[in-house]
Amino acid sequence: MTRITEKMNPATVLDTLRKADGYYITNTARDMSQSDYTNRILLHTDLVAAKAREDAGYFSLEITGGASVHVDILRKQVDPFLKLRLLREQMPNTMFQTLCRGVNLFGYRPYPQNVIRLTVREFAKYVDVWRTFDFMNYIPNMQAVFEEVAKAGKINEPCICFSTGPEHTNEYYVKKVQEILDVTGEEIILCIKNHGGLGTPKRIGELVDAVKQTYPELPIHYHGHNTDGNDIGRITAAVLAGATIVDASDHAFTGFYGPPPILTVIQTLKDHDKVAIGIDEQAVIESSDAIRDERPHYAQFESQIKGFMPTVQIHKLPGGAMGSSLEQASKGGFLDKMPDILHKELPKVQKELGNYWSVTPGSQILWTTAVSNVLGGDRYGNCSGDLKNLLLGKYGPFPFYRPADWIYEKAFGPDWEKILEEQGGVEDIEDMDIEKERKTLTERLGKEPTEQQLVTYLQHPNDAVDFFKFEEKFGQSYVLPPSIFLREGGFQLGESLVFRDNNGKEHIIEIGPSQQADDGETNVYLNVDHHQRAFIIEAEAQAGAAAAVATLSKEEIAKLAKAGDIRAPFGGNVYEISVEAGQKIEIGDQVAVLEAMKMQTPVVSEIAGTVSTISAKVGQALKPGDKIVLIDSGEE
């Protein structure tokens, strides 16, 4: 039996897969983190597990991509490229795998072609297997990634995204496979991406068989989620029907919405005389033993709803979106509305919007639409900018049927047909002036960025700058274990924290002393491995020092907008200010873009006039009613 390693070229890997007498396993650690821990598993934990994972003999380790690139810089303060470099040092033989959203890369909306190609080239220095999908199964949206991966000498693993319903037939999916092969050629691995954990084992077995009957030399990689507790059955059916690679993860960390445990897959398939090629079972066990003690520190990020969710077959929300959606519901105070959202509204929205695939960014569009419909009470009465782009076909054509006319009228008004005719169709995004962006980043950082910093910035500009500045000020925090980094409740003066980093080296942090200055600022001193550090904490505003800001109603915000006083219609971050002071604008011109729940919504002017004041800044968090732009109509 042959273990596949990072040293093999793609042709050798594919030849080995075609001759395999058994199946290979991908450890989908990234998807486990995203699905069951809202992407919060730290690099420290992955480094602790690295040696045992290396010895386990996996086909690949999925360790980057999806939402993890964004969350690495946003929540975990770790450079996504540094993560790959450090893991490669510990895992020289294991292929690294990424999940790429095609034209959406590692973000949530389409990027220019030159940004896509630059990003793939830079990540391909570390990533061997590129699992690429498009939420509309629209092949042109993946083509640039396919081309750059091939140029880099890496392995293309295009996906057909799977769902259920009368339109989702074997004939449809087999036709999609041919569309992929027409672009890539035959030297690929095909992924059947069952991101929701949908269908029965029988259905998955039939699909794998249909593809293998038509393309017998095509290696198939089955990816699923265990949301309903039945993915072991689907994996078994896939392997028995001819799949060569399957996904699972470390049993010490598996939960409800991510992949099932590797060891259970191995034990189940043994009864069918199917062997996990190259796998060292003892190393699989050791991986979980190495990180088991760290799991309690991630409890705060585990799902608010415990237990498997067989109703995923109804609402189809993917495993990767379950945790983040429940987290949003908890923070937003509408967790009690989840049964109605998941079991009534979301299935209805799914069908009304074309029964396409509920995976990023489509899953966010479906989810936010369902939430807005339930909480707002006016179905499709407050469409996000991304939903409007979906309706206009900016992401690609609807695969089966277009939504009903009444939805278009709710989204765009009585002139919706004219708008659809004039603005509809796949968005042809102009190449970005990358050198101009490099200059902008240089100005924001005060120094020349590296190529990898530029790549990160091009996808998540504001969050990337915040991260780079954080790292420059505080250093690299990946050495901190979750017991320190994710600790709740704060730290006490005089307290000593003793911990070991991922290499086993012991560190000590002593908290205090603390001194308060006359102006209210507080100096807090830390002794880090006996080296003193001082941090200045600004004084808190005195209670009652500032008048409470009155909350404006939706009607009041709309009335102010008609007078040129444009306020935030909902809570969110400022993604873009689209105008400058002194600029003349017309009715309907975009003045800003707000981002909430990963969705972007344009804010437009209700009047014609001149921009007199810009009150908001890019990256600023706004509450409903906060000022954005003031427009002077010129009327007395």
Side-chain angles (χ1 to χ4, degrees):
M1 296 189 295
T2 304
R3 174 179 178 178
I4 290 172
T5 72
E6 193 267 342
K7 306 298 187 295
M8 295 180 177
N9 62 47
T12 303
V13 171
L14 290 167
D15 186 58
T16 304
L17 290 173
R18 291 183 181 116
K19 295 176 179 177
D21 182 18
Y23 65 98
Y24 289 86
I25 296 175
T26 286
N27 186 327
T28 46
R30 178 214 60 84
D31 214 346
M32 176 179 67
S33 175
Q34 180 166 330
S35 301
D36 287 309
Y37 303 92
T38 58
N39 245 320
R40 296 308 209 287
I41 293 181
L42 301 177
L43 174 57
H44 180 279
T45 300
D46 288 320
L47 286 169
V48 168
K51 185 183 184 305
R53 285 175 175 171
E54 166 76 355
D55 294 341
Y58 298 121
F59 168 76
S60 61
L61 174 71
E62 190 200 74
I63 198 61
T64 189
S68 73
V69 173
H70 187 207
V71 181
D72 278 348
I73 62 172
L74 181 66
R75 303 295 183 203
K76 297 187 282 188
Q77 280 70 53
V78 66
D79 185 330
F81 290 100
L82 174 67
K83 175 171 76 173
L84 292 169
R85 289 196 297 272
L86 293 173
L87 285 169
R88 176 54 70 209
E89 291 174 4
Q90 302 296 319
M91 305 181 69
N93 292 311
T94 304
M95 291 199 297
F96 289 167
Q97 180 171 306
T98 190
L99 178 69
C100 180
R101 298 162 177 166
V103 72
N104 304 300
L105 285 174
F106 307 126
Y108 313 104
R109 53 201 50 87
Y111 291 97
Q113 290 284 300
N114 61 340
V115 172
I116 294 171
R117 294 178 184 278
L118 175 63
T119 301
V120 175
R121 286 197 298 270
E122 204 60 38
F123 272 91
K125 294 174 181 177
Y126 309 94
V127 176
D128 307 291
V129 183
W130 286 74
R131 175 179 287 170
T132 306
F133 74 93
D134 179 72
F135 81 101
M136 299 292 273
N137 271 342
Y138 184 54
I139 311 306
N141 281 347
M142 300 186 277
Q143 187 163 345
V145 176
F146 294 158
E147 291 172 357
E148 291 300 323
V149 170
K151 287 178 186 176
K154 303 298 183 177
I155 297 171
N156 264 313
E157 188 178 289
C159 297
I160 50 172
C161 294
F162 173 77
S163 190
T164 53
E167 301 87 5
H168 295 267
T169 62
N170 287 344
E171 291 74 20
Y172 170 82
Y173 287 112
V174 170
K175 182 181 176 183
K176 276 293 166 186
V177 174
Q178 186 59 58
E179 288 181 28
I180 290 171
L181 294 173
D182 289 343
V183 172
T184 63
E186 297 179 356
E187 294 302 294
I188 64 166
I189 299 168
L190 176 76
C191 177
I192 295 177
K193 180 173 172 55
N194 188 6
H195 42 272
L198 302 178
T200 62
K202 180 174 181 288
R203 175 71 189 97
I204 294 301
E206 289 172 348
L207 178 57
V208 173
D209 181 64
V211 175
K212 291 297 286 187
Q213 290 288 343
T214 310
Y215 309 101
E217 295 299 306
L218 183 61
I220 293 178
H221 190 159
Y222 172 75
H223 164 78
H225 284 249
N226 205 30
T227 307
D228 64 348
N230 203 17
D231 209 49
I232 296 290
R234 287 185 286 266
I235 287 172
T236 302
V239 171
L240 294 179
T244 314
I245 318 168
V246 297
D247 284 0
S249 202
D250 307 285
H251 54 268
F253 267 66
T254 48
F256 300 116
Y257 306 134
I262 292 163
L263 204 57
T264 307
V265 171
I266 294 170
Q267 292 165 345
T268 301
L269 283 167
K270 278 182 180 177
D271 274 357
H272 297 276
D273 297 321
K274 294 294 182 180
V275 176
I277 301 173
I279 292 293
D280 182 333
E281 289 186 40
Q282 185 56 41
V284 172
I285 296 170
E286 289 172 3
S287 296
S288 281
D289 289 345
I291 59 177
R292 187 183 311 280
D293 290 344
E294 298 203 352
R295 180 166 182 165
H297 303 296
Y298 293 104
Q300 60 188 298
F301 302 113
E302 294 196 58
S303 172
Q304 286 81 1
I305 297 178
K306 300 294 190 291
F308 293 112
M309 191 178 285
T311 53
V312 69
Q313 306 297 335
I314 300 169
H315 61 72
K316 301 182 182 180
L317 193 65
M322 281 302 307
S324 60
S325 299
L326 290 166
E327 184 180 34
Q328 290 166 7
S330 179
K331 291 180 178 178
F334 58 92
L335 198 58
D336 61 317
K337 302 286 186 183
M338 286 299 284
D340 282 345
I341 293 171
L342 288 177
H343 305 146
K344 296 179 182 178
E345 186 61 24
L346 192 52
K348 194 182 299 183
V349 168
Q350 275 266 5
K351 292 180 181 178
E352 290 172 346
L353 293 184
N355 199 18
Y356 65 83
W357 295 268
S358 181
V359 62
T360 306
S363 53
Q364 279 89 352
I365 296 174
L366 293 168
W367 159 254
T368 54
T369 301
V371 170
S372 177
N373 287 354
V374 170
L375 300 186
D378 181 15
R379 302 190 74 241
Y380 300 100
N382 186 26
C383 292
S384 69
D386 292 288
L387 174 55
K388 291 180 179 179
N389 283 335
L390 175 80
L391 294 170
L392 290 171
K394 299 295 185 184
Y395 293 103
F398 284 97
F400 304 119
Y401 55 88
R402 197 183 78 179
D405 291 352
W406 69 268
I407 295 177
Y408 280 87
E409 187 167 0
K410 290 282 282 189
F412 299 107
D415 294 331
W416 67 269
E417 289 179 294
K418 181 181 178 183
I419 292 171
L420 182 60
E421 182 180 350
E422 293 177 350
Q423 301 179 26
V426 177
E427 192 171 5
D428 185 14
I429 306 173
E430 293 184 5
D431 277 355
M432 185 178 288
D433 187 338
I434 290 178
E435 291 310 310
K436 181 180 178 182
E437 294 301 318
R438 190 194 305 274
K439 183 178 178 182
T440 299
L441 180 56
T442 300
E443 292 172 353
R444 295 182 69 176
L445 294 182
K447 64 179 181 180
E448 184 82 14
T450 67
E451 199 72 1
Q452 293 175 354
Q453 285 179 321
L454 177 64
V455 165
T456 306
Y457 169 79
L458 291 173
Q459 292 175 87
H460 306 289
N462 297 321
D463 293 331
V465 170
D466 288 344
F467 165 69
F468 299 146
K469 290 182 177 179
F470 172 92
E471 192 174 58
E472 183 175 15
K473 182 176 181 180
F474 298 107
Q476 295 174 338
S477 59
Y478 72 87
V479 297
L480 295 175
S483 60
I484 304 296
F485 191 91
L486 302 175
R487 174 168 163 164
E488 296 181 278
F491 304 96
Q492 301 299 316
L493 288 176
E495 185 175 4
S496 293
L497 308 172
V498 180
F499 66 92
R500 294 185 182 275
D501 63 23
N502 55 278
N503 291 318
K505 182 180 178 181
E506 189 171 273
H507 301 273
I508 182 169
I509 300 176
E510 296 172 303
I511 312 294
S514 174
Q515 294 178 341
Q516 189 170 37
D518 293 339
D519 60 3
E521 285 187 344
T522 302
N523 292 324
V524 177
Y525 294 88
L526 300 180
N527 278 311
V528 182
D529 290 344
H530 310 295
H531 295 281
Q532 193 173 80
R533 302 283 189 273
F535 296 93
I536 299 174
I537 311 298
E538 294 181 0
E540 292 186 15
Q542 295 297 314
V549 178
T551 302
L552 297 176
S553 68
K554 184 177 180 181
E555 292 73 20
E556 289 171 324
I557 292 171
K559 186 175 180 180
L560 286 169
K562 293 184 183 300
D565 186 357
I566 300 178
R567 307 293 187 100
F570 54 84
N573 294 325
V574 180
Y575 181 82
E576 176 186 307
I577 297 295
S578 312
V579 294
E580 297 177 353
Q583 180 178 335
K584 294 187 180 298
I585 59 173
E586 301 296 330
I587 295 174
D589 283 354
Q590 179 176 299
V591 298
V593 178
L594 295 185
E595 186 172 52
M597 293 195 291
K598 302 178 184 178
M599 296 287 101
Q600 291 181 357
T601 300
V603 180
V604 301
S605 177
E606 299 285 342
I607 67 169
T610 303
V611 177
S612 62
T613 306
I614 298 176
S615 302
K617 296 180 180 180
V618 171
Q620 182 179 350
L622 300 182
K623 297 177 182 177
D626 283 351
K627 294 181 178 182
I628 300 177
V629 170
L630 185 63
I631 298 167
D632 184 359
S633 66
E635 298 179 0
E636 295 294 334

